Amino acid sequence: MKMILIGPPGAGKGTQAKRLMERLGIPQISTGDMFRAAVAGGTPMGLKAKEYMDKGELIPDDVVIGVVKERLSSPDCNKGFILDGFPRTLDQAKALDRILENMESHLDHVVVIDVPDDYLIERLTGRRTCRKCGYMHHIKFDTPKKDGICDKCGGELYQRDDDKEQTIRERLKTYHSQTAPLVAYYTDKGIVRKIDGKGSMEEVEGTIATAVGA
Ligand code: AMP
């Protein structure tokens, strides 16, 4: 099964993609995770990517498309994949169509997770990520037992630059102007499954599983 998840920042794409990966036994491919790894590794691509990520802007299409093309050519993607955070622009969507055509394949589902902006701002500004294990606490919904310390591994919690309110507002603006138009593009192809993302993780997972027949 080949599918993509579309939704605003904080809609739970990453969490749902990981759950689907376990359910379906196919890889989850998150461009955000790939770029964060490049930033952490201090690679030349990471240094360039960080400038865009810190401002809540999108990394240029040619860079992102190259990274995804290489990843999709790995043998573990033959059976299928879940793309999380890609495509994010119309040009990326068209490039993905070409990549899949060359693989003599096509997308089966485009899951669109719908969540109102206000809800997302509360979710994202409260997120605190562990520097050591990457676990994400929330100051209101998943409060760490000890302030600033990860319950899972004792690592230091911090607020990702792209989770700060100003950046989130920028990321939402970017989403509405550049990524939301993809919904119309895929609706025309008849593969869009719209999901209400306001429920619990389990509820949203159940809705997605039903929609894609997983
Ligand atoms: P995410 O974790 O998916 O929200 O991604 C974090 C940041 O990485 C985004 O705000 C962008 O700066 C960058 N990024 C991730 N995926 C893409 C993409 N498909 N196109 C452009 N930039 C991306």
Side-chain angles (χ1 to χ4, degrees), residues 177-191:
S177 65
Q178 303 203 52
T179 308
L182 293 187
V183 180
Y185 178 77
Y186 288 119
T187 299
D188 288 346
K189 296 178 185 282
I191 49 174

Side-chain angles (χ1 to χ4, degrees), residues 9 13 30-33 35-36 49 52-53 56-61 64 84-88 92 160 162 171:
K13 291 189 300 291
S30 157
T31 41
D33 285 352
F35 287 119
R36 273 186 289 281
Y52 295 95
M53 294 167 86
E57 291 174 6
L58 294 183
I59 294 163
D61 283 342
V64 188
D84 153 18
F86 179 93
R88 261 177 154 102
Q92 290 181 13
R160 266 168 46 182
D162 59 355
R171 289 168 74 196

